[in-house]
Amino acid sequence: MNPDLERLIELEKVDREALRLTEEVSGLPKRVAAIEEKLAEHKAAVEKAKAEVKSNEAKRRQLEADIKGFQEKIVKYRSQSSSVKTNDEYRALMHEVEFAEKQISGCEDKILELMLSLESEEKAVKAAEAELKTESADVEKEKAEARVRTAEDEKLLAGLKEKRVQLRATVNDSALQHYDRVMRQRKSAIAEARDQKCLACFVMIRPQTWQELRTNEQIVTCSSCGRILYFDPAHEPPPPPPESPKKKAKSRAAAVEPQDEPEIAPEATPTQ
Ligand SMILES: [Zn+2]
């Protein structure tokens, strides 16, 4: 195999792995942020449950104060009743006492209801706190994992960077320039050619180019996508049956004339 071709194939593997690792490293902080956001939701749930308990207690204190107020009124009405002059005045005071007693009874009912819901509200606080505790432990674990993964990736990236420099130093300049140009546009610069087609864009290769390509002794580029092509004899298909004249005409029509420096046409969807 042409030594430049061999090194470019190796260089592409290094570049693509480095790209994958770089994307992974940049994605990890986002993942950590997402888990922290989830944790914040659990913290908010605990706060909300605690607030319910607090509001329950406040309502109960208010009702207890109301009861005290009504009781004081009753005492006052009873003491006034001993000094009233008429039956009407007395009845009016007793009516006030009755009203205050009804109010007290209503407050007591409400206190009972609050005490019952307090029980479930306190259970909800405990459940939310337990969930938060579990979630916090998970988050710490995931954050630690993300830190380890980042450190590993960065170490691998440093190794790849070194290998990349070494490989690039040994490749012919014009081949390297072409490689860089395609890599920038396509995110892959090398493609296998199989069955007389570029396996990245599936455009047919001209028969003469195909014959040259099969030796792997030259740098051959795809006339359509610009990728540097190589041939893997292990993927050689079994000899085809004799072609019909109709099919021959079709493959000639599909073949694209390559140029010395092919223009890189935009590609609708990545094929690799
Ligand atoms: Zn192609």
Side-chain angles (χ1 to χ4, degrees):
M1 192 184 260
N2 176 305
D4 278 343
L5 181 59
E6 201 173 349
R7 286 171 203 136
L8 285 172
I9 291 172
E10 186 61 19
L11 178 62
E12 206 226 16
K13 282 183 194 155
V14 168
D15 278 344
R16 288 174 72 180
E17 179 62 2
L19 193 69
R20 187 189 72 76
L21 289 169
T22 307
E23 279 169 4
E24 189 171 84
V25 166
S26 69
L28 284 168
K30 278 182 214 144
R31 212 180 106 207
V32 169
I35 36 187
E36 278 182 337
E37 201 176 303
K38 212 169 116 201
L39 188 65
E41 279 170 25
H42 282 273
K43 279 181 183 158
V46 169
E47 289 315 308
K48 198 179 162 223
K50 281 184 175 170
E52 298 257 345
V53 169
K54 260 194 181 166
S55 135
N56 182 311
E57 282 163 351
K59 280 182 198 156
R60 217 171 63 187
R61 272 196 303 275
Q62 182 57 53
L63 287 165
E64 279 160 358
D66 291 349
I67 289 176
K68 213 179 154 209
F70 289 122
Q71 283 167 340
E72 281 164 4
K73 274 183 183 166
I74 290 171
V75 170
K76 195 180 84 187
Y77 297 144
R78 288 205 193 281
S79 76
Q80 281 175 354
S81 71
S82 59
S83 55
V84 292
K85 307 274 189 296
T86 67
N87 279 344
D88 279 351
E89 276 176 333
Y90 182 79
R91 268 200 295 277
L93 278 175
M94 285 308 107
H95 185 73
E96 291 294 339
V97 168
E98 203 182 313
F99 177 77
E101 280 171 344
K102 264 189 192 155
Q103 293 297 310
I104 290 175
S105 161
C107 289
E108 284 170 347
D109 286 348
K110 280 182 196 157
I111 287 177
L112 199 66
E113 272 171 36
L114 285 170
M115 282 167 82
L116 285 172
S117 54
L118 180 66
E119 221 172 281
S120 57
E121 283 162 13
E122 280 173 341
K123 267 186 198 158
V125 169
K126 282 205 178 106
E129 280 175 339
E131 232 172 278
L132 175 62
K133 202 177 160 192
T134 314
E135 191 67 24
S136 302
D138 285 354
V139 165
E140 283 315 308
K141 205 176 137 211
E142 284 198 56
K143 276 163 85 176
E145 277 169 9
R147 273 195 296 270
V148 168
R149 174 66 68 83
T150 303
E152 279 172 357
D153 283 358
E154 276 165 357
K155 205 172 145 194
L156 286 171
L157 273 169
L160 288 175
K161 202 176 161 190
E162 219 171 279
K163 201 170 172 191
R164 186 171 186 270
V165 170
Q166 286 167 5
L167 279 167
R168 289 179 69 90
T170 57
V171 180
N172 157 293
D173 275 350
S174 70
L176 199 57
Q177 271 169 19
H178 182 84
Y179 170 91
D180 286 340
R181 196 156 62 103
V182 181
M183 194 69 181
R184 263 198 311 278
Q185 296 190 14
R186 306 263 191 235
K187 302 247 189 294
S188 81
I190 310 281
E192 185 187 339
R194 197 190 295 176
D195 204 13
Q196 215 180 318
K197 279 188 207 111
C198 163
L199 282 194
C201 70
F202 298 101
V203 165
M204 286 293 293
I205 295 159
R206 207 163 60 109
Q208 195 194 327
T209 313
W210 175 241
Q211 290 313 319
E212 282 170 14
L213 177 63
R214 285 164 57 90
T215 65
N216 280 329
E217 286 309 323
Q218 291 175 61
I219 304 273
V220 176
T221 59
C222 173
S223 60
S224 174
C225 70
R227 288 183 179 89
I228 295 161
L229 298 168
Y230 70 93
F231 173 71
D232 185 347
H235 295 147
E236 177 80 316
E243 283 186 57
S244 69
K246 197 179 161 195
K247 201 175 169 195
K248 249 181 199 164
K250 204 177 162 195
S251 48
R252 253 205 306 280
V256 177
E257 290 292 316
Q259 296 151 7
D260 287 340
E261 189 62 304
E263 275 305 303
I264 299 166
E267 205 170 40
T269 47
T271 47
Q272 273 192 358

